[in-house]
């Protein structure tokens, strides 16, 4: 047992030092990763803002084209009515 106790006494400072080193390394990595995460979050916020502006612009274009399509539908309806009128006149003249 005496020999084992000597080894334990010898390894105790090494283990304590290793635990302290690992704790310091963990703390450093957490702080370093936190900075990277903050940078990435800021970049994503900028990208989201740009995308929201783009979406708003697209919504305006869609509303504009919806108006064009409504006008086009009215025009097609008028053309359909005119063609039906002309066809009726042509059939009546036979």
């Amino acid at each position: 047992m005496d020999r084992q106790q000597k080894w334990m006494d010898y390894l105790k400072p090494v283990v304590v030092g290793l635990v302290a080193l690992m704790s310091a390394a963990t703390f450093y990595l957490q702080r370093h990763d936190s900075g990277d995460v903050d940078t990435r979050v800021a970049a994503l916020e900028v990208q989201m803002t740009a995308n929201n502006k783009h979406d708003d612009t697209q919504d305006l274009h869609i509303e504009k084209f919806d108006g064009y399509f409504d006008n086009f539908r009215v025009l097609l309806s008028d053309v359909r009515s005119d063609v039906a009128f002309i066809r009726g006149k042509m059939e009546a003249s036979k």
Side-chain angles (χ1 to χ4, degrees), residues 4-82:
Q4 187 178 8
Q5 187 63 33
K6 284 182 181 179
W7 270 105
M8 295 287 264
D9 290 341
Y10 176 74
L11 288 177
K12 188 181 272 187
V14 173
V15 170
V16 170
L18 186 60
V19 168
L21 178 66
M22 295 301 286
S23 297
T26 301
F27 178 73
Y28 171 76
L29 289 175
Q30 286 176 341
R31 296 282 290 181
H32 181 70
D33 287 345
S34 176
D36 287 346
V37 168
D38 291 343
T39 303
R40 288 179 181 162
V41 167
L44 286 174
E45 287 174 347
V46 169
Q47 186 177 7
M48 286 175 53
T49 303
N51 284 341
N52 287 341
K53 288 180 183 176
H54 181 69
D55 289 346
D56 292 343
T57 303
Q58 291 298 326
D59 289 343
L60 291 175
H61 288 304
I62 288 171
E63 289 175 10
K64 183 178 177 182
F65 284 121
D66 281 346
Y68 288 146
F69 286 130
D70 289 341
N71 290 341
F72 188 66
R73 286 184 189 117
V74 169
L75 179 67
L76 284 179
S77 177
D78 291 345
V79 168
R80 184 181 300 142
S81 296
D82 291 346

